[in-house]
C-alpha cells in the first residue's frame, strides 16, 4: 500500500492565467479537493457528521512551487499524513506531473486542520472522529517515518 492518498487531476484552461501557467490559488483548491475525495472514499461517515455539527477548520495552508504546469498536464495530488493529534490533523501534499517519461515533483504543500463542534457562535475543539481516525490508520506508519 502507498503511504499517500492519491487524487488524479487534469489541468483545465480555466485554471491557468493569461500567461498560460496554472494560477497559484488552484494548488490550494486541489488540496481541498484531495481531502474531500479522501473523506468520500475512505471515511464517508464523516461526511454525514459534517452535515450535523462537525466542522473541519483549516488553520494553516502552504505551498512551495518547483516547476510550472499548464493546461492538460496530468497531475497526481498525493496527500500524506504528517501528524494525527487529539483535535488536529496535519497533512502534506505532493503535486506530481505524470507524463510518459516519468514523474516530476512540481510543488509541495501542507495544511493543518482542526476538528470543531457546536453552533457557529459557540464552536469548540473536538476530538478527531473515530471513523476518520480509522481511515487514517493505514497512513500512521508512514507518518512515523516522515
Amino acid at each position: 500500500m502507498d503511504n499517500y492518498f492519491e487524487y488524479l487531476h487534469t489541468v483545465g484552461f480555466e485554471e491557468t492565467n493569461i500567461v498560460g501557467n496554472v494560477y497559484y490559488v488552484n494548488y490550494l483548491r486541489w488540496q481541498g479537493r484531495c481531502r474531500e475525495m479522501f473523506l468520500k472514499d475512505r471515511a464517508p461517515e464523516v461526511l454525514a457528521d459534517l452535515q450535523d455539527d462537525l466542522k473541519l477548520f483549516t488553520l494553516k495552508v502552504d505551498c512551495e512551487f518547483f516547476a510550472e504546469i499548464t493546461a492538460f498536464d496530468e497531475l497526481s495530488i498525493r496527500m500524506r499524513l504528517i501528524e494525527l493529534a487529539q483535535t488536529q490533523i496535519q497533512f502534506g501534499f505532493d503535486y506530481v506531473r505524470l507524463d510518459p517519461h516519468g514523474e516530476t515533483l512540481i510543488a509541495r504543500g501542507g495544511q493543518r486542520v482542526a476538528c470543531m463542534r457546536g453552533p457557529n457562535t459557540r464552536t469548540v475543539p473536538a476530538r478527531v472522529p473515530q471513523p476518520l481516525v480509522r481511515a487514517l490508520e493505514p497512513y500512521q506508519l508512514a507518518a512515523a517515518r516522515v
Side-chain angles (χ1 to χ4, degrees), residues 24 28 41 126:
Y24 74 94
L28 305 182
D41 291 349

Side-chain angles (χ1 to χ4, degrees), residues 53-69:
D53 74 337
L54 176 66
K55 296 166 181 68
L56 299 178
F57 285 7
T58 302
L59 302 175
K60 179 182 177 183
V61 64
D62 63 66
C63 194
E64 182 178 8
F65 306 98
F66 307 123
E68 291 189 0
I69 54 175

Side-chain angles (χ1 to χ4, degrees), residues 9-23 26 29-30 69-73:
H9 181 76
T10 302
V11 177
F13 284 129
E14 74 279 2
E15 296 169 311
T16 62
N17 59 24
I18 197 164
V19 180
N21 56 358
V22 170
Y23 189 59
N26 288 300
R29 289 180 55 238
W30 298 334
I69 54 175
T70 59
F72 304 111
D73 278 342

